[in-house]
Short mmCIF file of all heavy atoms in Angstrom, two decimals:
data_model
loop_
_atom_site.label_atom_id
_atom_site.label_comp_id
_atom_site.label_asym_id
_atom_site.label_seq_id
_atom_site.Cartn_x
_atom_site.Cartn_y
_atom_site.Cartn_z
N VAL A 170 1.62 -19.48 -6.04
CA VAL A 170 1.68 -18.55 -5.01
C VAL A 170 0.41 -17.65 -4.94
O VAL A 170 -0.17 -17.45 -6.02
CB VAL A 170 2.94 -17.65 -4.97
CG1 VAL A 170 4.21 -18.47 -4.83
CG2 VAL A 170 3.13 -16.87 -6.32
N GLY A 171 0.09 -17.07 -3.89
CA GLY A 171 -1.09 -16.25 -3.77
C GLY A 171 -0.68 -14.77 -4.20
O GLY A 171 0.41 -14.38 -4.27
N GLY A 172 -1.73 -14.00 -4.55
CA GLY A 172 -1.51 -12.64 -4.91
C GLY A 172 -2.35 -11.71 -4.00
O GLY A 172 -2.77 -12.09 -2.88
N VAL A 173 -2.59 -10.48 -4.54
CA VAL A 173 -3.24 -9.55 -3.64
C VAL A 173 -4.74 -9.84 -3.40
O VAL A 173 -5.23 -9.49 -2.37
CB VAL A 173 -3.17 -8.13 -4.39
CG1 VAL A 173 -1.79 -7.60 -4.36
CG2 VAL A 173 -3.83 -8.12 -5.75
N ARG A 174 -5.30 -10.61 -4.28
CA ARG A 174 -6.76 -10.95 -4.02
C ARG A 174 -6.76 -11.87 -2.76
O ARG A 174 -7.62 -11.61 -1.85
CB ARG A 174 -7.34 -11.65 -5.14
CG ARG A 174 -8.81 -12.03 -4.96
CD ARG A 174 -9.49 -12.49 -6.24
NE ARG A 174 -9.12 -13.87 -6.59
CZ ARG A 174 -9.81 -14.61 -7.42
NH1 ARG A 174 -10.88 -14.10 -8.11
NH2 ARG A 174 -9.44 -15.76 -7.75
N GLU A 175 -5.90 -12.82 -2.70
CA GLU A 175 -5.89 -13.79 -1.49
C GLU A 175 -5.52 -12.99 -0.28
O GLU A 175 -6.08 -13.26 0.84
CB GLU A 175 -4.90 -14.85 -1.77
CG GLU A 175 -5.36 -15.91 -2.78
CD GLU A 175 -5.18 -15.39 -4.26
OE1 GLU A 175 -4.44 -14.41 -4.41
OE2 GLU A 175 -5.82 -15.95 -5.10
N GLN A 176 -4.59 -12.04 -0.34
CA GLN A 176 -4.23 -11.17 0.75
C GLN A 176 -5.53 -10.41 1.22
O GLN A 176 -5.75 -10.31 2.49
CB GLN A 176 -3.10 -10.21 0.31
CG GLN A 176 -1.70 -10.73 0.56
CD GLN A 176 -1.41 -11.09 1.94
OE1 GLN A 176 -1.46 -10.21 2.83
NE2 GLN A 176 -1.02 -12.30 2.27
N ALA A 177 -6.23 -9.81 0.34
CA ALA A 177 -7.37 -9.01 0.75
C ALA A 177 -8.40 -9.84 1.41
O ALA A 177 -9.00 -9.54 2.45
CB ALA A 177 -7.90 -8.31 -0.47
N ALA A 178 -8.65 -11.06 0.81
CA ALA A 178 -9.70 -11.99 1.31
C ALA A 178 -9.32 -12.41 2.74
O ALA A 178 -10.19 -12.77 3.55
CB ALA A 178 -9.95 -13.12 0.35
N ALA A 179 -8.03 -12.55 3.00
CA ALA A 179 -7.61 -13.02 4.39
C ALA A 179 -7.43 -11.82 5.29
O ALA A 179 -6.89 -12.10 6.44
CB ALA A 179 -6.28 -13.74 4.17
N GLY A 180 -7.67 -10.58 5.00
CA GLY A 180 -7.55 -9.47 5.81
C GLY A 180 -6.11 -9.05 5.96
O GLY A 180 -5.71 -8.46 6.96
N TYR A 181 -5.34 -9.15 4.78
CA TYR A 181 -4.05 -8.64 4.64
C TYR A 181 -3.10 -9.01 5.82
O TYR A 181 -2.54 -8.20 6.54
CB TYR A 181 -4.01 -7.11 4.58
CG TYR A 181 -4.51 -6.67 3.17
CD1 TYR A 181 -5.74 -6.12 3.07
CD2 TYR A 181 -3.73 -6.67 2.08
CE1 TYR A 181 -6.29 -5.72 1.84
CE2 TYR A 181 -4.19 -6.32 0.83
CZ TYR A 181 -5.46 -5.89 0.75
OH TYR A 181 -5.93 -5.50 -0.54
N PRO A 182 -2.88 -10.39 5.98
CA PRO A 182 -1.95 -10.72 7.00
C PRO A 182 -0.51 -10.21 6.86
O PRO A 182 0.18 -10.05 7.89
CB PRO A 182 -2.01 -12.40 6.85
CG PRO A 182 -2.46 -12.60 5.57
CD PRO A 182 -3.41 -11.48 5.19
N LEU A 183 -0.10 -10.04 5.61
CA LEU A 183 1.32 -9.44 5.50
C LEU A 183 1.45 -8.12 6.03
O LEU A 183 2.44 -7.74 6.56
CB LEU A 183 1.63 -9.44 4.02
CG LEU A 183 1.84 -10.89 3.25
CD1 LEU A 183 2.18 -10.72 1.81
CD2 LEU A 183 3.01 -11.59 3.98
N LEU A 184 0.32 -7.34 6.01
CA LEU A 184 0.37 -6.02 6.65
C LEU A 184 0.34 -6.12 8.10
O LEU A 184 1.05 -5.49 8.85
CB LEU A 184 -0.86 -5.16 6.06
CG LEU A 184 -0.71 -4.65 4.67
CD1 LEU A 184 -2.04 -4.07 4.21
CD2 LEU A 184 0.33 -3.71 4.47
N ARG A 185 -0.58 -6.97 8.64
CA ARG A 185 -0.73 -7.03 10.04
C ARG A 185 0.40 -7.69 10.73
O ARG A 185 0.81 -7.35 11.96
CB ARG A 185 -2.03 -7.91 10.33
CG ARG A 185 -3.40 -7.20 9.97
CD ARG A 185 -4.65 -7.96 10.38
NE ARG A 185 -4.93 -9.04 9.42
CZ ARG A 185 -4.79 -10.33 9.69
NH1 ARG A 185 -4.26 -10.76 10.84
NH2 ARG A 185 -5.06 -11.29 8.81
N GLU A 186 1.06 -8.76 10.13
CA GLU A 186 2.11 -9.43 10.77
C GLU A 186 3.55 -9.03 10.48
O GLU A 186 4.38 -9.39 11.16
CB GLU A 186 1.88 -10.93 10.40
CG GLU A 186 0.60 -11.47 10.85
CD GLU A 186 0.27 -12.94 10.23
OE1 GLU A 186 1.21 -13.50 9.63
OE2 GLU A 186 -0.91 -13.34 10.31
N ILE A 187 3.70 -8.35 9.36
CA ILE A 187 5.07 -7.98 8.94
C ILE A 187 5.26 -6.50 8.85
O ILE A 187 6.00 -5.85 9.60
CB ILE A 187 5.53 -8.63 7.59
CG1 ILE A 187 5.45 -10.16 7.75
CG2 ILE A 187 6.84 -8.12 7.17
CD1 ILE A 187 5.69 -10.78 6.34
N ALA A 188 4.42 -5.84 7.98
CA ALA A 188 4.64 -4.35 7.69
C ALA A 188 4.35 -3.49 8.80
O ALA A 188 5.19 -2.62 9.17
CB ALA A 188 3.78 -4.00 6.46
N LEU A 189 3.26 -3.67 9.50
CA LEU A 189 2.82 -2.75 10.53
C LEU A 189 3.78 -2.90 11.77
O LEU A 189 4.16 -1.82 12.34
CB LEU A 189 1.39 -2.91 10.89
CG LEU A 189 0.36 -2.33 9.87
CD1 LEU A 189 -1.05 -2.87 10.01
CD2 LEU A 189 0.47 -0.79 9.89
N PRO A 190 3.99 -4.12 12.22
CA PRO A 190 4.95 -4.21 13.37
C PRO A 190 6.30 -3.68 13.05
O PRO A 190 6.92 -2.97 13.97
CB PRO A 190 5.00 -5.76 13.61
CG PRO A 190 3.63 -6.23 13.07
CD PRO A 190 3.42 -5.43 11.83
N SER A 191 6.73 -3.84 11.81
CA SER A 191 8.13 -3.42 11.51
C SER A 191 8.14 -1.80 11.43
O SER A 191 9.00 -1.21 12.02
CB SER A 191 8.57 -3.87 10.11
OG SER A 191 9.71 -3.30 9.71
N LEU A 192 7.14 -1.27 10.85
CA LEU A 192 7.01 0.23 10.76
C LEU A 192 6.92 0.85 12.17
O LEU A 192 7.63 1.80 12.49
CB LEU A 192 5.77 0.55 9.94
CG LEU A 192 5.50 2.04 9.73
CD1 LEU A 192 6.69 2.69 8.95
CD2 LEU A 192 4.22 2.25 8.91
N ARG A 193 6.09 0.34 13.01
CA ARG A 193 5.81 0.80 14.39
C ARG A 193 7.16 0.72 15.16
O ARG A 193 7.54 1.63 15.90
CB ARG A 193 4.70 0.12 15.02
CG ARG A 193 3.39 0.45 14.50
CD ARG A 193 2.32 -0.49 14.98
NE ARG A 193 0.98 -0.09 14.56
CZ ARG A 193 -0.02 -0.93 14.45
NH1 ARG A 193 0.17 -2.20 14.80
NH2 ARG A 193 -1.21 -0.56 14.05
N ALA A 194 7.85 -0.41 15.09
CA ALA A 194 9.04 -0.62 15.82
C ALA A 194 10.15 0.33 15.43
O ALA A 194 10.85 0.94 16.24
CB ALA A 194 9.57 -2.09 15.66
N ALA A 195 10.26 0.64 14.13
CA ALA A 195 11.29 1.52 13.53
C ALA A 195 10.92 2.91 14.11
O ALA A 195 11.84 3.64 14.55
CB ALA A 195 11.31 1.50 12.12
N LEU A 196 9.65 3.42 14.00
CA LEU A 196 9.35 4.66 14.40
C LEU A 196 9.48 4.87 15.93
O LEU A 196 9.97 5.89 16.36
CB LEU A 196 7.91 4.98 13.99
CG LEU A 196 7.63 5.20 12.51
CD1 LEU A 196 6.17 5.26 12.25
CD2 LEU A 196 8.34 6.39 11.90
N ASP A 197 9.14 3.84 16.68
CA ASP A 197 9.26 3.82 18.17
C ASP A 197 10.80 3.92 18.55
O ASP A 197 11.10 4.53 19.64
CB ASP A 197 8.66 2.65 18.82
CG ASP A 197 7.09 2.69 18.68
OD1 ASP A 197 6.58 3.72 18.45
OD2 ASP A 197 6.48 1.64 18.96
N SER A 198 11.63 3.44 17.68
CA SER A 198 13.10 3.45 18.01
C SER A 198 13.69 4.85 17.70
O SER A 198 14.82 5.02 17.99
CB SER A 198 13.76 2.37 17.27
OG SER A 198 13.91 2.68 15.85
N GLY A 199 12.92 5.70 17.17
CA GLY A 199 13.31 7.09 16.81
C GLY A 199 13.80 7.22 15.29
O GLY A 199 14.37 8.27 15.01
N ALA A 200 13.55 6.18 14.53
CA ALA A 200 13.96 6.24 13.12
C ALA A 200 13.18 7.39 12.43
O ALA A 200 11.96 7.63 12.72
CB ALA A 200 13.69 4.98 12.36
N THR A 201 13.70 8.07 11.42
CA THR A 201 12.99 9.02 10.68
C THR A 201 11.98 8.30 9.73
O THR A 201 12.03 7.07 9.63
CB THR A 201 13.93 9.77 9.74
OG1 THR A 201 14.58 8.86 8.75
CG2 THR A 201 15.07 10.49 10.50
N GLN A 202 11.02 8.99 9.17
CA GLN A 202 10.08 8.45 8.31
C GLN A 202 10.76 7.68 7.20
O GLN A 202 10.43 6.53 6.87
CB GLN A 202 9.18 9.54 7.73
CG GLN A 202 8.20 9.00 6.60
CD GLN A 202 7.39 10.12 6.02
OE1 GLN A 202 6.88 11.00 6.67
NE2 GLN A 202 7.13 10.01 4.72
N ASP A 203 11.79 8.23 6.54
CA ASP A 203 12.51 7.66 5.44
C ASP A 203 13.12 6.35 5.93
O ASP A 203 13.04 5.26 5.25
CB ASP A 203 13.52 8.57 4.86
CG ASP A 203 13.66 8.53 3.38
OD1 ASP A 203 12.61 8.31 2.71
OD2 ASP A 203 14.78 8.75 2.85
N ALA A 204 13.83 6.35 7.06
CA ALA A 204 14.44 5.13 7.55
C ALA A 204 13.49 4.03 7.95
O ALA A 204 13.63 2.88 7.71
CB ALA A 204 15.33 5.43 8.76
N ALA A 205 12.34 4.49 8.62
CA ALA A 205 11.35 3.57 8.93
C ALA A 205 10.68 2.83 7.78
O ALA A 205 10.47 1.68 7.71
CB ALA A 205 10.23 4.24 9.80
N LEU A 206 10.50 3.64 6.73
CA LEU A 206 9.92 3.02 5.47
C LEU A 206 10.92 2.10 4.87
O LEU A 206 10.49 1.02 4.28
CB LEU A 206 9.53 4.16 4.50
CG LEU A 206 8.35 5.03 4.86
CD1 LEU A 206 8.13 6.17 3.95
CD2 LEU A 206 7.06 4.20 4.91
N ALA A 207 12.14 2.50 4.74
CA ALA A 207 13.21 1.59 4.22
C ALA A 207 13.33 0.33 4.92
O ALA A 207 13.42 -0.75 4.38
CB ALA A 207 14.54 2.37 4.11
#
Side-chain angles (χ1 to χ4, degrees):
V170 295
V173 291
R174 184 171 74 164
E175 289 77 18
Q176 274 295 304
Y181 287 102
L183 292 176
L184 288 173
R185 290 185 281 107
E186 298 168 12
I187 299 174
L189 287 165
S191 174
L192 181 61
R193 288 166 176 158
L196 292 170
D197 289 346
S198 73
T201 64
Q202 174 182 320
D203 219 31
L206 289 172

